[in-house]
Amino acid sequence: MTGYKDNQLIHIHPVEAFQDNYIWLIHNDQNSIVVDPGDASPLIEVLQRKNLNLVAILVTHHHADHIGGVLELQKKYPHVKIFAPKKDKYDFVNISLQDGDEINIPELQINYKIFEIPGHTKGHIAYYDMKNLFCGDTLFACGCGKIFDGTHEQMYNSLKKISGLSKDTKIYCGHEYTKKNIAFALSVNPNNSDLLLRDEHVSNLKITIPSTLGEELKTNPFLNCTSIEAFKALRDLKDQY
Ligand SMILES: [Zn+2]
């Protein structure tokens, strides 16, 4: 995935970790940013192969499969800046972020706006550069995250907040769950023609991320709930699916 910003080429690649996690690597020809490094080793292998320096780590939430590699990366890249949600506690030094904050990564000339999107966890945040949204385990392709230490009401409101962004926003989530999510969505919306097309489209893809917000609005049942009660009922159904 590529995009031009200030005349420099920025690449965004997934680095696969564990069973189904994606660590997002954002880089130019010299420097890189990573999102949610649950495991350092696959990432270090890619950084070394591409001869990239690591300048920033963006953490969306406190789960181990999103932060497990941070300390090792900090040891290897001692100047790396680590950003994390203010409402969580971390055992690594970090720059804590809350809703409305903006951060600048000068080495890549990228600015991110911070959104608090609690629900999966109570401190969960997203990073938004006006084109790409790194939303961790909140909005998944055709699904949404489970409720851990947040609440259903928080998740409902966070999904509404994301829904208000531009429809061409690319959605970079933390896991490859798309095919299972589409199967669930079809079980509740068997006649949604956009969903049937999406099912066909992803059937031969290994990596289905990023999607776009527009695609999610047409096919993701969790974005179409019109009340917190309806959202909770759907989330409960998915938890038992
Ligand atoms: Zn999580």
Side-chain angles (χ1 to χ4, degrees), residues 40-60:
S41 50
L43 195 58
I44 290 171
E45 191 273 315
V46 175
L47 293 174
Q48 288 181 338
R49 181 160 42 82
K50 291 179 181 280
N51 202 17
L52 294 169
N53 182 34
L54 180 62
V55 297
I57 296 173
L58 312 182
V59 171
T60 65

Side-chain angles (χ1 to χ4, degrees), residues 2 10 27 34 70 123 186 213 218 221-222 238:
T2 57
I10 298 286
H27 72 91
V34 299
V70 171
L186 279 169
L213 180 60
K218 283 188 206 162
F222 294 97
K238 177 68 169 36

Side-chain angles (χ1 to χ4, degrees), residues 61 63 66 120 137:
H61 68 292
H63 286 158
H66 294 251
H120 177 69
D137 291 354

Side-chain angles (χ1 to χ4, degrees), residues 60-66 120-121 124 136-137 140 148 175:
T60 65
H61 68 292
H62 65 79
H63 286 158
D65 63 325
H66 294 251
H120 177 69
T121 64
H124 202 303
D137 291 354
F140 288 129
F148 285 92
H175 291 270

